[in-house]
Amino acid sequence: TILAPFTNFSKRILSGTEYYTPVVISYHLMSNDLETTNETDEAGNISDKTDTLMAYRSNSGRLATVGSLLIPFGIVIIFVGICLGDKDGPYDLSSPVEITTLMRITLILHGLYFISVGPMFELMIEMLPLPFIPEKYKFGKIPSKPDNLFWMMSCLSGELFFCTAVAYFLMATQDYVQRWTLIVPMAQCAYNMKNSLIWVFLGNRCSPIKQRVS
């Protein structure tokens, strides 16, 4: 069956005979990167002692980044592959799925969060994750002389949050949706898993300032 390769792979992992999962590969490659100090000036500019982004530090950093990306890409490919393998069956991508009350509430709450975060990236990015919290919990500062890349990433982040919020709100208005639409929140959660891994659990190694996102 379509699940057989994934089932066998999972058994090898659980039995201890399969060690090199994407997460393990990423961790070992990250461990090879040099430790640096976390220093910024009053304007929020990163000092020369702070590393660049992980993917641009070294070949191992680039490979570790690729390894972490296998988490969201792999999860989406597996889910889509299962659905494609059940053509005209209950798990077909076009099969109807009922939007339950719990699903509707979750979609609305997630949509409200996303629709509020989008403008923050363009209007008050320095206040993220939340306004009025202590400075030590803020994600960072805007450099004194941001370039076009920083500007574009702020706009594109706002765009992606806005588009996802619209999709979630529209899904919440329906009694039934096609199964493929639910791949969208699954994909978002899968990417969140990857981000949580490198931001929080491995943040002291992956972060350019060697400080995890708390």
Side-chain angles (χ1 to χ4, degrees), residues 140-183:
K141 294 183 178 181
I142 300 175
S144 59
K145 295 182 180 180
D147 56 16
N148 277 357
L149 178 63
F150 189 96
W151 175 44
M152 290 172 64
M153 291 301 99
S154 299
C155 295
L156 290 172
S157 295
E159 174 186 342
L160 292 174
F161 276 106
F162 173 77
C163 292
T164 308
V166 170
Y168 287 174
F169 284 143
L170 291 175
M171 291 168 64
T173 65
Q174 304 299 300
D175 293 326
Y176 291 87
V177 296
Q178 289 186 320
R179 187 173 299 277
W180 68 266
T181 62
L182 297 178
I183 299 294

Side-chain angles (χ1 to χ4, degrees), residues 108-214:
I108 292 174
L109 291 177
H110 221 136
L112 289 172
Y113 166 60
F114 275 16
I115 205 72
S116 64
V117 171
M120 288 187 68
F121 271 94
E122 301 205 44
L123 296 174
M124 41 188 174
I125 193 171
E126 285 187 308
M127 293 186 180
L128 290 171
L130 292 170
F132 314 118
I133 64 173
E135 193 67 27
K136 64 179 180 179
Y137 296 118
K138 299 291 180 64
F139 290 158
K141 294 183 178 181
I142 300 175
S144 59
K145 295 182 180 180
D147 56 16
N148 277 357
L149 178 63
F150 189 96
W151 175 44
M152 290 172 64
M153 291 301 99
S154 299
C155 295
L156 290 172
S157 295
E159 174 186 342
L160 292 174
F161 276 106
F162 173 77
C163 292
T164 308
V166 170
Y168 287 174
F169 284 143
L170 291 175
M171 291 168 64
T173 65
Q174 304 299 300
D175 293 326
Y176 291 87
V177 296
Q178 289 186 320
R179 187 173 299 277
W180 68 266
T181 62
L182 297 178
I183 299 294
V184 176
M186 289 182 178
Q188 182 238 314
C189 291
Y191 219 100
N192 276 354
M193 289 171 58
K194 186 273 293 183
N195 287 340
S196 295
L197 174 68
I198 62 175
W199 287 352
V200 182
F201 298 103
L202 300 176
N204 288 340
R205 292 185 178 276
C206 301
S207 165
I209 61 174
K210 301 304 179 187
Q211 179 178 312
R212 65 167 51 93
V213 178
S214 58

